[in-house]
Amino acid sequence: MGSAPASEPATGEVHLRPGVQTAVKLLVVGHFAVGKTTFVGALSEIRPLRTEEVMTEAGAIVDDLAGMTDKTTTTVALDFGRLTLNDRLVLYLFGTPGQQRFAPLWHDMTRGALGALVLADTRRLGHSFEVMGVLEELGLPYAVALNQFDDAPAHELDEVRDALDLLPETPLVRCDARDRVSSTRALISLVEYLLTRIGHLEHT
Amino acid sequence: MTGPTNNALGWMLDEVLKVPEARHAILLSADGMLRAYSKDIDRDDAERLAAGLSGVQSISRSTAEFCGTPHTPWRQTLIEFADGYVFLVAAGEGAYLAVSTGEDVDMEAVTYRMHKLVDRLGKELTSPARQDTGSPA
Ligand SMILES: Nc1nc2c(ncn2[C@@H]2O[C@H](COP(=O)(O)OP(=O)(O)O)[C@@H](O)[C@H]2O)c(=O)[nH]1
Ligand SMILES: [Mg+2]
């Protein structure tokens, strides 16, 4: 981050120039039905942008609906919401459609993004690899948040970290995408991670 | 990273609203962030529209092959509603200009004005690629 004072150590805290609001674009990504739209909607302080369409049967064959009987719509373009974290940091959240057929839009949306929050579901952890792979290819740093579904098996975070083969520094947290406080906490762990990385880059 | 828009260019967008039937104008960067907005639109609404319009542009561009040649450059997207239109055009490298109008607008007059505005703003409209992000240049 060009505006951060170079003399400050990277402590993982949010260091920003006083009196100046910084806009940060973040992606909210993850496989189909992991809770991305719910997450952006719960967090946004403005009316969120939604592009939900009722799923057709042709789509449902492709989209994995196992265990998702109440999901009737799917995101066809993007979700968008804004969250002012404090008087210095405004987060712009862009949620992407999870399905592979939307990949070109997904790639365009990474433009200008500082990082991504990967939502994951312990019932289908394997579905997260594709998204994490794309982020790694693009060099976009990310944190992982386990969206806690009611009937999901409770795994220790260490086990999940192993199963997802995460780097030791990649933040891994739990959240409830329906809950504003819990979701905000997940985003803060991403933001702190991003600022720490930027700090490291500046000091090397 | 930059700050949220201070709307320094908003007054220039107001110019385009001189076309009869024109309603609002928004300038956005290709990454979906709001750059400027005309006077009668709320900032929160303008930010949401900027995000949505960047998606419109992306998806529009992805239909190039349907036009016959997959790499033909995108120029404009026109959206028609029961009571009006939204025009979306390129505004320099990495930026787009959108104008909404009523249904009886002179379409040629709007697009002419929009291109005039894009020309006038020239360099100011150019969104240089951010250098401080993890995404590819
Ligand atoms: N129990 C529970 N359900 C959730 C949670 N987050 C999302 N859901 C539900 O899961 C479904 C899929 O969520 P959605 O946000 O549409 O997923 P997306 O495809 O990733 O955008 C919806 O029916 C949500 O109501 C959660 O944390 N707990
Ligand atoms: Mg969705």
Side-chain angles (χ1 to χ4, degrees):
Chain A
M1 187 174 49
S3 59
S7 58
E8 278 191 59
T11 59
E13 303 239 321
V14 178
H15 286 304
L16 294 164
R17 215 157 18 136
V20 178
Q21 257 194 346
T22 303
V24 172
K25 175 177 175 177
L26 299 174
L27 301 186
V28 177
V29 301
H31 61 72
F32 176 70
V34 75
K36 300 177 296 292
T37 300
T38 307
F39 184 94
V40 174
L43 275 177
S44 185
E45 67 202 8
I46 62 174
R47 183 160 57 85
L49 174 74
R50 288 246 165 97
T51 57
E52 294 295 288
E53 292 296 333
V54 173
M55 283 182 277
T56 63
E57 281 179 52
I61 295 165
V62 180
D63 302 335
D64 176 13
L65 267 175
M68 274 290 141
T69 43
D70 61 341
K71 186 166 162 78
T72 56
T73 64
T74 188
T75 307
V76 293
L78 73 160
D79 296 303
F80 170 78
R82 188 186 79 206
L83 176 66
T84 303
L85 261 197
N86 52 46
D87 58 0
R88 292 193 268 158
L89 198 54
V90 187
L91 306 181
Y92 290 84
L93 308 175
F94 287 71
T96 65
Q99 299 93 313
Q100 191 52 40
R101 65 178 182 275
F102 295 114
L105 174 69
W106 210 116
H107 284 243
D108 272 5
M109 279 174 54
T110 61
R111 186 167 180 168
L114 201 62
L117 187 69
V118 177
L119 291 183
D121 177 349
T122 50
R123 294 169 303 179
R124 51 190 94 199
L125 282 180
H127 287 42
S128 297
F129 284 114
E130 187 179 316
V131 159
M132 294 193 300
V134 174
L135 295 173
E136 280 160 22
E137 241 169 68
L138 292 168
L140 200 64
Y142 61 87
V144 179
L146 295 177
N147 188 16
Q148 208 60 50
F149 286 90
D150 304 331
D151 56 339
H155 292 293
E156 292 299 323
L157 285 182
D158 284 349
E159 290 177 82
V160 175
R161 178 176 288 283
D162 281 349
L164 289 178
D165 199 17
L166 300 181
L167 293 174
E169 74 255 26
T170 303
L172 174 65
V173 296
R174 292 180 206 278
C175 77
D176 181 331
R178 298 162 302 178
D179 180 71
R180 188 180 178 134
V181 174
S182 145
S183 298
T184 303
R185 221 175 281 135
L187 270 185
I188 289 175
S189 63
L190 168 65
V191 170
E192 287 183 342
Y193 173 59
L194 295 176
L195 294 175
T196 309
R197 288 182 89 252
I198 292 160
H200 282 312
L201 291 178
E202 280 192 352
H203 294 287
T204 50
Chain B
M1 281 182 293
T2 54
T5 180
N6 57 10
N7 204 29
L9 300 174
W11 65 276
M12 294 184 109
L13 301 200
D14 292 340
E15 294 274 297
V16 109
L17 303 187
K18 287 180 181 156
V19 178
E21 294 272 309
R23 289 176 178 152
H24 306 292
I26 282 180
L27 181 68
L28 58 135
S29 52
D31 60 5
M33 302 294 274
L34 180 66
R35 299 283 308 276
Y37 49 104
S38 58
K39 58 183 184 303
D40 290 329
I41 190 164
D42 177 75
R43 177 184 142 193
D44 291 355
D45 294 335
E47 286 190 332
R48 178 176 49 253
L49 286 161
L53 287 162
S54 72
V56 166
Q57 196 280 340
S58 176
I59 291 167
S60 300
R61 217 175 65 237
S62 76
T63 62
E65 60 180 317
F66 190 42
C67 190
T69 39
H71 300 294
T72 184
W74 169 87
R75 293 260 173 81
Q76 179 182 357
T77 298
L78 173 65
I79 310 169
E80 180 175 357
F81 292 94
D83 62 352
Y85 299 93
V86 174
F87 298 78
L88 181 67
V89 302
E93 183 70 26
Y96 311 122
L97 174 67
V99 171
S100 63
T101 74
E103 59 189 309
D104 295 323
V105 75
D106 177 342
M107 291 195 175
E108 263 181 50
V110 177
T111 45
Y112 177 76
R113 277 281 189 145
M114 287 174 77
H115 287 115
K116 275 285 196 205
L117 177 60
V118 169
D119 284 347
R120 273 188 53 219
L121 293 176
K123 279 198 219 94
E124 283 183 278
L125 284 178
T126 306
S127 272
R130 298 175 187 202
Q131 291 137 18
D132 49 0
T133 68
S135 64

